[in-house]
Amino acid sequence: MDISYRWLQSLVPGLDLPPEALAERLAMCGAPADAVIALGEPLRDIRIARVIEARRHPNADRLSLCRVDAGTGELLNVVCGAPNVRGGATYPFAPAGATLPGGMVIKRAKIRGEESNGMLCSARELGLGRDHEGILELHGDFTPGDSFIEAVGLDDWRFVLDITANRPDLLSHIGVAREIAPAGDAGVVLPPVAATGDGRAQALAQFRAARVHRVSDAGEAEGIRISIEDAEKCPRYIGVVIRGVTVGPAPEWLATRLRAIGQRPINNIVDATNFVLHELGQPLHAFDLARLRGSEIRVRRAAPGESMVTLDGEKRDLSPDMLVIADAERPVAVAGVMGGQESEVADDTRDVLLECALFDPRSIRRTRRALGLSTDASYRYERGVDPEGMERAARRAVELILATAGGRAEPVLLDVNPRPFEAPVAPLRPARAQHVLGVALGADLLVSLLQPLGFRALAADGDALRFRVPGWRAYDVTREADLIEEVARRYGYDRFPEELRPFRPSAVPDHPVAILEDRLRSLLVGRGLLESRTMGLASEAEGDVALTNPLSSAESRLRRALLPGLVHRVEYNLARGNRDVRLFEIGTVFAPGEPGAQPLEETWLALAFTGARHAPHWSAAPEPYDIWDLKGLLADLVALLYPAAGVLEPGTHDPLLVPALGFHVPADDGSAWVAQGGQVAPGGVDAPAWAGPIWGMELRLAGAELAPGARGYRVVPTQPAIEWDLALLIADAVPAARVEALIVDAAGASLERVAPFDLYRGPGIAEGTRSIAYRLRFRAPDRTLTDAEVERAVERVLRRLKEELGVERR
């Protein structure tokens, strides 16, 4: 959501906070600014220029050769490629030596043999919008050579706010103004609309006395009939007729307001509706009245097989569950989303029907998704617009149209309202607020905190205060907990005692799962891995739980595993030349539940890494990760999370991994595994030819118990050790880890260490068998062991190896 600092100042008299301080204030109100952009700073070199003459370039069909007055005392030659350049018009001009937003420096140059001494600029080149179809023509009284910033009022700052989905009231300047005004809603003032000349002031005065004709389902006024056939999807529709308008460019003050928030001015009628949308948060639409067949508006569902062409020139196939605005014969707008091309305001429009409607958010959301069409209007309707602010918004838009386009408004606003809005009433018990917030706030203080936000105190019900919720907060404030949240926000999070943040005593311990995840993060970051956060949504190939209304086919399921998402992140890094990637993620995976039940959720840990084991150094070539790195890290994590688990066994249960180059730990509960890892199958990775193997692993955290964090120690041995080497013939099907585990179990307490030191295959060894040599170290803590004691221990080891694993001494 983009907000203009100067626009806010016009709504909040006396607002003098610097932009940076205002951004901090907004963050404390729940609307943090992702960016604060000084609009004027990058435009300091831009001047006002008037094109005196524009003629065709002698050596290029699509270029114009212009004579430009830039206030220097002489006319400058400028080559321009915009189709809308014309003599007598005024434009922003970047002279030679000027720097544009983005760092581009304008130089004097010859273009197709003609000298060009600067550039006439478009809105996109100035960072004021996305339009690049032509240069930015200015409308008004300007002096060539003046600063463009000062001339059009662009000494402004744009706040890019991060608005959560439950706060549609902040999707407008007035909503933000309520939050920052010292007196709240009472301190917000709409600047009056002024008009002069051509009887516009008189037309404004007459309209301000216009009455409202309210009907339930259908009504007619001033030659236009409006009916609502689906009150559930459209509970209210206001229509106003304005006759005799002159469509043209909006005055520069209005266009500047829109450019300051990144909007492209179109014409005075459309710009007036866009202005009100961003000022009051109410979407509006203007129809060319002459193009409405039958002088009728019907709010209905689309008929089977109906279609229409929207303002973007695209043909839209409609379905019966979509709400449309239709005239007597056909749809003229997709309700709450976009108008139709056949009824749009054009240069020859003289009479206008202004629409101000209220639509069901769920209906608009479904329609927008089905059509793949998102607009500023649908964005607000999906979240909810103020049902009590509709008449004010309609009147505001009509006044702007009369002031900027002339004409005369009919003296009646037709208000079709089959389902009048009933404001919710929410209780608030001071004792409950104290229990939740940990701070005693009296009833008078609670009222003083909530009233500036528009919550009107009603008669108390026993010990509970009662508040009428304003229309702009009716979508997210419905219960006592919501009011307590507003109290905390208005009181100021920074005023609560430190030990209560975030509203709970610090003595309450963290959840064991949270402790487990935090310790895992510390451990893995210490091992050189970086935490990644991937989407919980996946494609059909990577998920089993289907979404009802997916955003796209690539995000149509809930993920069944974490590793595929991490592999995609590795692919992303490899595609950008990053050879050494080490990532981990702790997240939720999903599986189908019982029929009619919610999906099953489980927390997993996943790792993916590739590239060099250590950072490059001049003394040695970097060594790449191999299967032993994977096995060692997997074994460490298993020992940490599942101390009682068995040894790693060869093979994996994930088709993304190569079975012959992987390991797993079987689960005791009958599921296939609690941990597994291996090399990611090369065929499942989109990686460049120079990339090394990618290693990945996954561990289930359900049931995991992290070992205590206390460090252990042992006494330095004082007795001598006896080492014994054993060369064993082991079948390939027997994992070496099982052999080692059995040696440890059979040797007894005196075995201090066992480790393999040699592997042999070849002559003298049967096929399907390998020879592994182990070194066993024996030691007693309080005496010197004898050879006989060690020999007895070795004999026990050999006997059990033969009986249980079929392993013999070589």
Side-chain angles (χ1 to χ4, degrees), residues 446-489:
L446 293 175
V447 172
S448 67
L449 290 173
L450 291 174
Q451 277 189 336
L453 299 178
F455 297 94
R456 181 160 56 88
L458 305 176
D461 181 10
D463 62 345
L465 304 174
R466 296 168 63 246
F467 291 89
R468 182 189 185 277
V469 179
W472 62 81
R473 297 301 304 275
Y475 298 92
D476 73 302
V477 177
T478 58
R479 54 184 181 159
E480 186 177 44
D482 300 326
L483 286 179
I484 293 175
E485 180 182 354
E486 292 302 302
V487 168
R489 199 168 55 82

Side-chain angles (χ1 to χ4, degrees), residues 429-441 484 500 503-505:
R429 295 165 293 171
R432 177 59 180 169
Q434 178 180 353
H435 178 76
V436 173
L437 301 180
V439 174
L441 303 175
I484 293 175
L500 294 180
F503 310 137
R504 65 175 186 182

